Amino acid sequence: MMNNKKLIIGSHVQVSGEGMLVKAVEDTISYGANTFMFYTGAPQNSQRKPISSFRIEEAKKLMKNNGIDIDNVIVHAPYIINLANKNSPDNFASKFLIQEIDRVSKIGCRYLVLHPGSHVGAGVEEGLKTIVKNLNFVFENDNSNVIILIETMAGKGTELGKNFGEIKYILDNVEKKDRLGVCIDSCHLNDAGYDVSNFDSVLDEFDKIVGVDKIKAVHINDSKNVKGAAKDRHENFGFGELGFETLIKIVYNPRLIDAPKILETPWVEDLPPYKLEIEMIRNKKFNENMKKELLNLQGK
Ligand code: FE
Ligand code: FE
Ligand code: ZN
């Protein structure tokens, strides 16, 4: 009964320039995708254009006419937000997150993906406590329906959220539990030491500790590094250490069928690979010449 459900797939797209969200939807359509993920501005800074410049209504119309359900469209919070840092000046991270949630709510999306943060030397326990304290503050000051999806991380540096126990700690200790979910990232799981080639047992473990129903989005990236490398360098779908078959099993896993699958794979030179990657995924057939074909298509 689950197999006739439609695959929900898309990629990271840019929201910038004149086109803003309209351009993001146009790019999505050109990739043969039916959802997308975006940052509300540059991921590495906190400068944001006014919400009036996002062209929300035009974009929604375009989504509707092309079978893109806005409930499947994901926003990613900028990675400068570090809720695990006790010494964030004037509580900058939490305050910026509150503004970000407000933008997401005005755009009309349901889910905001957030990196849990890095403890920057304070230690795991201290860092996790700080995250919980800051999330409680955020939810005290925001009454929207936006759900924050805590992303599973690679464990680079002092990153938290590198194992399911740390994710559980956050979900268990935040007061407004209905405001939280999880986004898993296949590259990060691998880099954090999980054997994703045995994905069903990874999901079993997640289910025991956190609950598989909490997973509302899936980042489907290959990894440039071996299991446990704690590096976080994404590779194109099927071209890395995970490989095509493993990634396809993740994409089509029946337990995750309702979660949007999002590619955050690297561009090939200056070209987005998503159209060709989505083609491979829909055909369930690896195209080892994908990168070459992409460059040829553009006359390079
Ligand atoms: Fe992320
Ligand atoms: Fe990710
Ligand atoms: Zn990553």
Side-chain angles (χ1 to χ4, degrees), residues 83-84 123-135 160 169:
L83 294 189
V124 170
E125 216 183 302
E126 214 36 51
L128 289 172
K129 281 184 184 162
T130 306
I131 294 171
V132 167
K133 185 175 141 247
N134 283 326
L135 281 173
L160 297 166
Y169 181 91

Side-chain angles (χ1 to χ4, degrees), residues 185 188 232 234:
D185 183 312
H188 298 176
D232 191 4
H234 301 183

